[in-house]
Amino acid sequence: MASPKMCNPDLDNPAETKYQVRQIYKRKPANIEMASRELAPIFGLGSGFLAQQRAQTLFTHPAFRESFAEFQCNYLKGQWDLPVGSFVRVHELAHKVRRNPIWVDEQLPDCTEWDVTHFYTRFALRTWHGIKESKLALAGWLKDVEICPAIHVLVFALVYLQLETMRDCKKEAPIRDRIHHFVESWKADK
């Protein structure tokens, strides 16, 4: 039996994992505690109350919250129809740039030419580095994890949170903007 702090996500089928995260999002869990219960197996933490608690600590860790605030401000910008990141692309970029300090520095580098993969990579590396450097016990299960499982966990946590945040942005948008978006989407499908 694995250690209770073990993080062993399934890295072999990211498309299925993204589908599972989208299904959790579509079920509209009432709060992050309920979502954490469903996300814990995806994070490789197993199921049950302790797994839920460990998953929940990720969302409450200051490094996660700070990185998400940066992501929200610089990528989402109140929009509700942006693409979510691809684990495979983020994973590849993370391996290429992980030793470059701009990806974990507190100050965001020039990101005018970035796409979703860059923002996801910045989020994942910055969050993982922040958790590893933190003296807090929160999300301690992610401190000693290798880069591949850490990126997996952080990408899919961000996918879920991005979808939830975009749903909230859509609710707050003026009706005129929502109708315009619907019409443009409909035209694009034709």
PDB file of all heavy atoms in Angstrom, residues 122-141:
ATOM      1  N   ARG A 122       3.868  28.553 -16.743  1.00  0.00           N
ATOM      2  CA  ARG A 122       4.266  29.515 -15.699  1.00  0.00           C
ATOM      3  C   ARG A 122       3.543  29.194 -14.398  1.00  0.00           C
ATOM      4  O   ARG A 122       4.139  29.157 -13.324  1.00  0.00           O
ATOM      5  CB  ARG A 122       3.960  30.943 -16.176  1.00  0.00           C
ATOM      6  CG  ARG A 122       3.941  31.991 -15.089  1.00  0.00           C
ATOM      7  CD  ARG A 122       5.243  32.622 -14.843  1.00  0.00           C
ATOM      8  NE  ARG A 122       5.043  33.731 -13.886  1.00  0.00           N
ATOM      9  CZ  ARG A 122       5.986  34.271 -13.196  1.00  0.00           C
ATOM     10  NH1 ARG A 122       7.227  33.867 -13.338  1.00  0.00           N
ATOM     11  NH2 ARG A 122       5.729  35.245 -12.354  1.00  0.00           N
ATOM     12  N   PHE A 123       2.221  28.977 -14.486  1.00  0.00           N
ATOM     13  CA  PHE A 123       1.436  28.649 -13.299  1.00  0.00           C
ATOM     14  C   PHE A 123       1.978  27.391 -12.617  1.00  0.00           C
ATOM     15  O   PHE A 123       2.215  27.377 -11.410  1.00  0.00           O
ATOM     16  CB  PHE A 123      -0.042  28.441 -13.660  1.00  0.00           C
ATOM     17  CG  PHE A 123      -0.842  27.878 -12.525  1.00  0.00           C
ATOM     18  CD1 PHE A 123      -1.373  28.712 -11.556  1.00  0.00           C
ATOM     19  CD2 PHE A 123      -1.033  26.510 -12.400  1.00  0.00           C
ATOM     20  CE1 PHE A 123      -2.086  28.194 -10.484  1.00  0.00           C
ATOM     21  CE2 PHE A 123      -1.744  25.982 -11.341  1.00  0.00           C
ATOM     22  CZ  PHE A 123      -2.265  26.826 -10.382  1.00  0.00           C
ATOM     23  N   ALA A 124       2.163  26.327 -13.395  1.00  0.00           N
ATOM     24  CA  ALA A 124       2.582  25.041 -12.821  1.00  0.00           C
ATOM     25  C   ALA A 124       3.966  25.135 -12.177  1.00  0.00           C
ATOM     26  O   ALA A 124       4.156  24.695 -11.039  1.00  0.00           O
ATOM     27  CB  ALA A 124       2.553  23.954 -13.889  1.00  0.00           C
ATOM     28  N   LEU A 125       4.920  25.696 -12.897  1.00  0.00           N
ATOM     29  CA  LEU A 125       6.281  25.771 -12.349  1.00  0.00           C
ATOM     30  C   LEU A 125       6.355  26.714 -11.154  1.00  0.00           C
ATOM     31  O   LEU A 125       7.012  26.412 -10.160  1.00  0.00           O
ATOM     32  CB  LEU A 125       7.271  26.196 -13.432  1.00  0.00           C
ATOM     33  CG  LEU A 125       7.532  25.161 -14.525  1.00  0.00           C
ATOM     34  CD1 LEU A 125       8.421  25.753 -15.611  1.00  0.00           C
ATOM     35  CD2 LEU A 125       8.138  23.890 -13.947  1.00  0.00           C
ATOM     36  N   ARG A 126       5.676  27.838 -11.255  1.00  0.00           N
ATOM     37  CA  ARG A 126       5.700  28.803 -10.139  1.00  0.00           C
ATOM     38  C   ARG A 126       5.032  28.217  -8.900  1.00  0.00           C
ATOM     39  O   ARG A 126       5.533  28.358  -7.779  1.00  0.00           O
ATOM     40  CB  ARG A 126       5.012  30.092 -10.573  1.00  0.00           C
ATOM     41  CG  ARG A 126       5.098  31.172  -9.533  1.00  0.00           C
ATOM     42  CD  ARG A 126       4.666  32.513 -10.099  1.00  0.00           C
ATOM     43  NE  ARG A 126       4.801  33.499  -9.049  1.00  0.00           N
ATOM     44  CZ  ARG A 126       3.826  34.278  -8.625  1.00  0.00           C
ATOM     45  NH1 ARG A 126       2.645  34.222  -9.193  1.00  0.00           N
ATOM     46  NH2 ARG A 126       4.026  35.133  -7.654  1.00  0.00           N
ATOM     47  N   THR A 127       3.902  27.550  -9.089  1.00  0.00           N
ATOM     48  CA  THR A 127       3.193  26.954  -7.956  1.00  0.00           C
ATOM     49  C   THR A 127       4.020  25.839  -7.329  1.00  0.00           C
ATOM     50  O   THR A 127       4.174  25.788  -6.104  1.00  0.00           O
ATOM     51  CB  THR A 127       1.819  26.418  -8.398  1.00  0.00           C
ATOM     52  OG1 THR A 127       1.064  27.481  -8.982  1.00  0.00           O
ATOM     53  CG2 THR A 127       1.056  25.836  -7.223  1.00  0.00           C
ATOM     54  N   TRP A 128       4.536  24.949  -8.160  1.00  0.00           N
ATOM     55  CA  TRP A 128       5.318  23.816  -7.651  1.00  0.00           C
ATOM     56  C   TRP A 128       6.545  24.325  -6.900  1.00  0.00           C
ATOM     57  O   TRP A 128       6.846  23.859  -5.798  1.00  0.00           O
ATOM     58  CB  TRP A 128       5.718  22.901  -8.798  1.00  0.00           C
ATOM     59  CG  TRP A 128       6.354  21.619  -8.376  1.00  0.00           C
ATOM     60  CD1 TRP A 128       5.967  20.790  -7.357  1.00  0.00           C
ATOM     61  CD2 TRP A 128       7.489  21.007  -8.971  1.00  0.00           C
ATOM     62  NE1 TRP A 128       6.805  19.699  -7.301  1.00  0.00           N
ATOM     63  CE2 TRP A 128       7.741  19.805  -8.277  1.00  0.00           C
ATOM     64  CE3 TRP A 128       8.312  21.351 -10.035  1.00  0.00           C
ATOM     65  CZ2 TRP A 128       8.789  18.948  -8.615  1.00  0.00           C
ATOM     66  CZ3 TRP A 128       9.348  20.496 -10.379  1.00  0.00           C
ATOM     67  CH2 TRP A 128       9.584  19.315  -9.664  1.00  0.00           C
ATOM     68  N   HIS A 129       7.241  25.296  -7.467  1.00  0.00           N
ATOM     69  CA  HIS A 129       8.404  25.872  -6.800  1.00  0.00           C
ATOM     70  C   HIS A 129       7.993  26.504  -5.466  1.00  0.00           C
ATOM     71  O   HIS A 129       8.676  26.320  -4.448  1.00  0.00           O
ATOM     72  CB  HIS A 129       9.059  26.912  -7.716  1.00  0.00           C
ATOM     73  CG  HIS A 129      10.246  27.587  -7.112  1.00  0.00           C
ATOM     74  ND1 HIS A 129      11.470  26.982  -7.020  1.00  0.00           N
ATOM     75  CD2 HIS A 129      10.380  28.814  -6.537  1.00  0.00           C
ATOM     76  CE1 HIS A 129      12.320  27.803  -6.425  1.00  0.00           C
ATOM     77  NE2 HIS A 129      11.683  28.920  -6.131  1.00  0.00           N
ATOM     78  N   GLY A 130       6.888  27.246  -5.458  1.00  0.00           N
ATOM     79  CA  GLY A 130       6.410  27.876  -4.226  1.00  0.00           C
ATOM     80  C   GLY A 130       6.055  26.878  -3.147  1.00  0.00           C
ATOM     81  O   GLY A 130       6.344  27.095  -1.962  1.00  0.00           O
ATOM     82  N   ILE A 131       5.447  25.769  -3.537  1.00  0.00           N
ATOM     83  CA  ILE A 131       5.102  24.725  -2.566  1.00  0.00           C
ATOM     84  C   ILE A 131       6.368  24.065  -2.031  1.00  0.00           C
ATOM     85  O   ILE A 131       6.501  23.838  -0.828  1.00  0.00           O
ATOM     86  CB  ILE A 131       4.145  23.690  -3.193  1.00  0.00           C
ATOM     87  CG1 ILE A 131       2.766  24.325  -3.400  1.00  0.00           C
ATOM     88  CG2 ILE A 131       4.036  22.435  -2.330  1.00  0.00           C
ATOM     89  CD1 ILE A 131       1.794  23.483  -4.204  1.00  0.00           C
ATOM     90  N   LYS A 132       7.308  23.787  -2.915  1.00  0.00           N
ATOM     91  CA  LYS A 132       8.558  23.141  -2.489  1.00  0.00           C
ATOM     92  C   LYS A 132       9.362  24.031  -1.535  1.00  0.00           C
ATOM     93  O   LYS A 132      10.001  23.539  -0.619  1.00  0.00           O
ATOM     94  CB  LYS A 132       9.406  22.780  -3.705  1.00  0.00           C
ATOM     95  CG  LYS A 132       8.846  21.630  -4.508  1.00  0.00           C
ATOM     96  CD  LYS A 132       9.605  21.410  -5.789  1.00  0.00           C
ATOM     97  CE  LYS A 132      10.929  20.816  -5.577  1.00  0.00           C
ATOM     98  NZ  LYS A 132      11.060  19.385  -5.689  1.00  0.00           N
ATOM     99  N   GLU A 133       9.328  25.336  -1.746  1.00  0.00           N
ATOM    100  CA  GLU A 133      10.082  26.273  -0.921  1.00  0.00           C
ATOM    101  C   GLU A 133       9.353  26.674   0.356  1.00  0.00           C
ATOM    102  O   GLU A 133       9.957  27.225   1.260  1.00  0.00           O
ATOM    103  CB  GLU A 133      10.409  27.533  -1.735  1.00  0.00           C
ATOM    104  CG  GLU A 133      11.283  27.276  -2.947  1.00  0.00           C
ATOM    105  CD  GLU A 133      12.661  26.768  -2.575  1.00  0.00           C
ATOM    106  OE1 GLU A 133      13.268  27.336  -1.643  1.00  0.00           O
ATOM    107  OE2 GLU A 133      13.119  25.802  -3.211  1.00  0.00           O
ATOM    108  N   SER A 134       8.079  26.386   0.427  1.00  0.00           N
ATOM    109  CA  SER A 134       7.259  26.808   1.560  1.00  0.00           C
ATOM    110  C   SER A 134       7.560  25.995   2.819  1.00  0.00           C
ATOM    111  O   SER A 134       7.853  24.808   2.754  1.00  0.00           O
ATOM    112  CB  SER A 134       5.783  26.649   1.190  1.00  0.00           C
ATOM    113  OG  SER A 134       4.971  26.931   2.290  1.00  0.00           O
ATOM    114  N   LYS A 135       7.434  26.650   3.928  1.00  0.00           N
ATOM    115  CA  LYS A 135       7.582  25.965   5.216  1.00  0.00           C
ATOM    116  C   LYS A 135       6.233  25.441   5.713  1.00  0.00           C
ATOM    117  O   LYS A 135       6.163  24.763   6.725  1.00  0.00           O
ATOM    118  CB  LYS A 135       8.189  26.917   6.234  1.00  0.00           C
ATOM    119  CG  LYS A 135       9.538  27.472   5.791  1.00  0.00           C
ATOM    120  CD  LYS A 135      10.523  27.497   6.898  1.00  0.00           C
ATOM    121  CE  LYS A 135      11.829  28.128   6.525  1.00  0.00           C
ATOM    122  NZ  LYS A 135      12.576  27.501   5.478  1.00  0.00           N
ATOM    123  N   LEU A 136       5.167  25.784   5.002  1.00  0.00           N
ATOM    124  CA  LEU A 136       3.826  25.326   5.384  1.00  0.00           C
ATOM    125  C   LEU A 136       3.663  23.841   5.103  1.00  0.00           C
ATOM    126  O   LEU A 136       4.242  23.305   4.160  1.00  0.00           O
ATOM    127  CB  LEU A 136       2.762  26.094   4.593  1.00  0.00           C
ATOM    128  CG  LEU A 136       2.670  27.586   4.827  1.00  0.00           C
ATOM    129  CD1 LEU A 136       1.671  28.207   3.858  1.00  0.00           C
ATOM    130  CD2 LEU A 136       2.254  27.879   6.260  1.00  0.00           C
ATOM    131  N   ALA A 137       2.842  23.205   5.893  1.00  0.00           N
ATOM    132  CA  ALA A 137       2.556  21.794   5.680  1.00  0.00           C
ATOM    133  C   ALA A 137       1.507  21.591   4.589  1.00  0.00           C
ATOM    134  O   ALA A 137       1.354  20.489   4.077  1.00  0.00           O
ATOM    135  CB  ALA A 137       2.067  21.154   6.979  1.00  0.00           C
ATOM    136  N   LEU A 138       0.807  22.656   4.224  1.00  0.00           N
ATOM    137  CA  LEU A 138      -0.215  22.558   3.180  1.00  0.00           C
ATOM    138  C   LEU A 138       0.380  21.980   1.899  1.00  0.00           C
ATOM    139  O   LEU A 138       1.464  22.377   1.482  1.00  0.00           O
ATOM    140  CB  LEU A 138      -0.807  23.931   2.867  1.00  0.00           C
ATOM    141  CG  LEU A 138      -1.662  24.601   3.919  1.00  0.00           C
ATOM    142  CD1 LEU A 138      -2.012  26.015   3.486  1.00  0.00           C
ATOM    143  CD2 LEU A 138      -2.918  23.789   4.169  1.00  0.00           C
ATOM    144  N   ALA A 139      -0.323  21.074   1.290  1.00  0.00           N
ATOM    145  CA  ALA A 139       0.100  20.443   0.038  1.00  0.00           C
ATOM    146  C   ALA A 139       1.484  19.823   0.155  1.00  0.00           C
ATOM    147  O   ALA A 139       2.201  19.707  -0.839  1.00  0.00           O
ATOM    148  CB  ALA A 139       0.020  21.425  -1.122  1.00  0.00           C
ATOM    149  N   GLY A 140       1.846  19.390   1.344  1.00  0.00           N
ATOM    150  CA  GLY A 140       3.143  18.757   1.561  1.00  0.00           C
ATOM    151  C   GLY A 140       3.350  17.527   0.706  1.00  0.00           C
ATOM    152  O   GLY A 140       4.481  17.179   0.383  1.00  0.00           O
ATOM    153  N   TRP A 141       2.269  16.884   0.324  1.00  0.00           N
ATOM    154  CA  TRP A 141       2.346  15.690  -0.521  1.00  0.00           C
ATOM    155  C   TRP A 141       2.928  16.007  -1.902  1.00  0.00           C
ATOM    156  O   TRP A 141       3.388  15.113  -2.599  1.00  0.00           O
ATOM    157  CB  TRP A 141       0.967  15.040  -0.657  1.00  0.00           C
ATOM    158  CG  TRP A 141      -0.117  15.986  -1.109  1.00  0.00           C
ATOM    159  CD1 TRP A 141      -0.896  16.779  -0.313  1.00  0.00           C
ATOM    160  CD2 TRP A 141      -0.529  16.245  -2.445  1.00  0.00           C
ATOM    161  NE1 TRP A 141      -1.757  17.513  -1.074  1.00  0.00           N
ATOM    162  CE2 TRP A 141      -1.563  17.205  -2.395  1.00  0.00           C
ATOM    163  CE3 TRP A 141      -0.130  15.764  -3.682  1.00  0.00           C
ATOM    164  CZ2 TRP A 141      -2.210  17.688  -3.527  1.00  0.00           C
ATOM    165  CZ3 TRP A 141      -0.775  16.247  -4.818  1.00  0.00           C
ATOM    166  CH2 TRP A 141      -1.799  17.188  -4.726  1.00  0.00           C
TER     167      TRP A 141
END
